[in-house]
Amino acid sequence: MNDEEGRSFSPVSANQKFTYYIPLKGSHEKPKTPTLKVSYYNDHGSDEPYINIEWDINPEADSYEIQYRLKGSSKWATFFSKTRSGDIVDDPTNDFGQDFKKGQVYEVRVRALHSNLISDWSEVKTARVDVTPNR
């Protein structure tokens, strides 16, 4: 971080968090709540398994906020996607410290973002892990 004269206060500055909103184009109304469909993709050991997430396309949405968690947990893991009609959860170890295991049930929800306008959360859908992956 530097002052107005260009002097540095320290060799490493602290991370700063800020929000940047994309300017509104088109509608100035809150985006429509996405309709969500989820399923667990069993790869039968040939690739990496994942939870497949699909939603209806909304041309007004700039991006989507996706949350998932182990059913019964109070902590949601969050990520953002610019994909128009779906995405995947492929590595829950980053957020929960454990890989997919047979019998686990994950809850997923999504909402649409259009600049600073945010839809309501979709209905929560679940996906059950059918097999423990070979990793």
Side-chain angles (χ1 to χ4, degrees), residues 78-90:
T78 302
F79 67 98
F80 294 87
S81 177
K82 290 201 59 87
T83 307
R84 290 286 185 199
S85 62
D87 215 315
I88 63 171
V89 174
D90 63 351

Side-chain angles (χ1 to χ4, degrees), residues 34-105:
T35 301
L36 182 62
K37 180 176 145 187
V38 299
S39 60
Y40 177 73
Y41 171 72
N42 175 3
D43 67 352
H44 303 289
S46 63
D47 197 3
E48 298 297 322
Y50 56 85
I51 295 173
N52 188 51
I53 307 166
E54 296 177 31
W55 56 81
D56 48 319
I57 296 173
N58 180 346
E60 291 292 324
D62 300 314
S63 60
Y64 295 86
E65 182 177 5
I66 301 161
Q67 290 189 326
Y68 68 96
R69 67 182 177 189
L70 281 169
K71 187 171 183 171
S73 172
S74 61
K75 178 187 172 203
W76 288 97
T78 302
F79 67 98
F80 294 87
S81 177
K82 290 201 59 87
T83 307
R84 290 286 185 199
S85 62
D87 215 315
I88 63 171
V89 174
D90 63 351
D91 189 9
T93 56
N94 288 339
D95 297 299
F96 299 108
Q98 61 183 356
D99 203 347
F100 292 123
K101 291 192 178 34
K102 186 174 184 176
Q104 289 175 324
V105 176

